[in-house]
Amino acid sequence: MTEELSNHLLGLQLPTDPRWVNIAQMNIEEILVDHAYCEQKAASSCISLIVLFPEKTEMVEMITPVVAEEWNHFERVLEQLKKRGMSFGQARKDEYVIQLQKVVRKGGSRDQQLVERLLMNALIEARSCERFKILSQNIQDQELKNFYYELMVSEAGHYKNFISLAKHYMPDDYVLNRWKEFLIEEAKILKSLEVRGDRMH
Ligand SMILES: [Fe+2]
Ligand SMILES: [Fe+2]
């Protein structure tokens, strides 16, 4: 599994800065709060897909159970916070997602619009998967180590769902070309952002 989740296969062009996990570990409350929001956004983004593209049957069928999984992740991060006497605070500005949204192309056919959103979701899953892997390998807290390993596997499954759905709606070549463009833009965004121990991305 670890092999399968290498950056190469996820396609990510830039590995996470090695300093990130050290500072993240010192800010675990901030990381858990930010992570809770990531899971909330993942669930809400899946709901948006279903609301905006109800006629895309295969997508609706594949994504509906993912909403429940993401919501379960959200609940479980809240539990981890509660257990540690930490509280869930206000949402923070998610510069990573704000920048990524600019990569999504407007216009085109409905299938192309859907594919843009599917690839954007796949990308966030891929990067989250990489971050969870780093946390599971480096964090001291055994419970969080296991938790992040489990989530890494789950988000890798979601990444695969989004990519295979994209290929269902547009030809493989189209999807692969667009995916490469997304990966290049994501690497530029990551490079431009400050390494912060209070953000999951
Ligand atoms: Fe999740
Ligand atoms: Fe996910």
Side-chain angles (χ1 to χ4, degrees):
M1 195 73 199
T2 309
E3 176 74 14
E4 197 183 337
L5 297 179
S6 68
N7 287 353
H8 179 68
L9 278 164
L10 287 168
L12 299 171
Q13 306 288 299
L14 188 71
T16 286
D17 188 308
R19 290 170 299 168
W20 174 75
V21 73
N22 299 323
I23 45 177
Q25 189 154 230
M26 290 186 287
N27 292 285
I28 209 66
E29 179 167 10
E30 299 289 324
I31 282 292
L32 285 170
V33 171
D34 195 58
H35 178 195
Y37 278 106
C38 292
E39 299 293 357
Q40 196 189 72
K41 280 179 271 187
S44 106
S45 146
C46 287
I47 292 172
S48 297
L49 281 171
I50 297 164
V51 170
L52 293 170
F53 299 91
E55 79 282 16
K56 306 290 184 195
T57 311
E58 289 79 4
M59 183 278 290
V60 173
E61 278 175 12
M62 198 182 260
I63 298 305
T64 299
V66 178
V67 174
E69 284 172 36
E70 300 293 18
W71 200 254
N72 172 263
H73 293 170
F74 172 61
E75 280 186 88
R76 290 176 60 200
V77 183
L78 288 186
E79 255 172 50
Q80 290 296 332
L81 277 164
K82 198 172 177 183
K83 220 177 204 176
R84 291 171 171 75
M86 299 168 173
S87 51
F88 183 45
Q90 291 284 320
R92 294 95 200 274
K93 196 172 172 197
D94 192 340
E95 204 49 53
Y96 176 74
V97 171
I98 294 171
Q99 295 297 328
L100 269 188
Q101 271 158 351
K102 295 180 187 161
V103 181
V104 172
R105 268 188 208 148
K106 310 270 183 291
S109 67
R110 257 182 95 67
D111 281 343
Q112 282 171 317
Q113 287 171 30
L114 174 59
V115 165
E116 288 296 300
R117 286 171 167 265
L118 291 169
L119 294 182
M120 160 91 167
N121 278 279
L123 196 50
I124 299 175
E125 295 286 358
R127 183 58 73 187
S128 303
C129 188
E130 188 231 13
R131 296 269 157 127
F132 293 166
K133 178 180 163 194
I134 296 172
L135 286 170
S136 77
Q137 287 174 339
N138 295 283
I139 213 162
Q140 304 293 321
D141 184 311
Q142 192 58 44
E143 192 177 350
L144 287 180
K145 220 178 170 59
N146 298 341
F147 182 51
Y148 280 117
Y149 183 84
E150 192 200 319
L151 291 190
M152 166 193 82
V153 175
S154 170
E155 312 303 5
H158 299 160
Y159 153 81
K160 282 186 192 156
N161 286 345
F162 286 123
I163 296 282
S164 75
L165 277 172
K167 289 181 176 172
H168 179 81
Y169 291 103
M170 288 300 288
D172 285 12
D173 282 3
Y174 176 92
V175 172
L176 283 173
N177 284 334
R178 195 60 194 122
W179 178 236
K180 274 185 205 154
E181 290 169 0
F182 265 94
L183 289 169
I184 291 167
E185 291 308 314
E186 195 260 0
K188 284 188 206 158
I189 292 166
L190 198 68
K191 212 169 186 175
S192 73
L193 296 175
E194 180 195 349
V195 178
R196 300 179 60 153
D198 59 349
R199 291 291 192 277
M200 191 54 92
H201 298 109

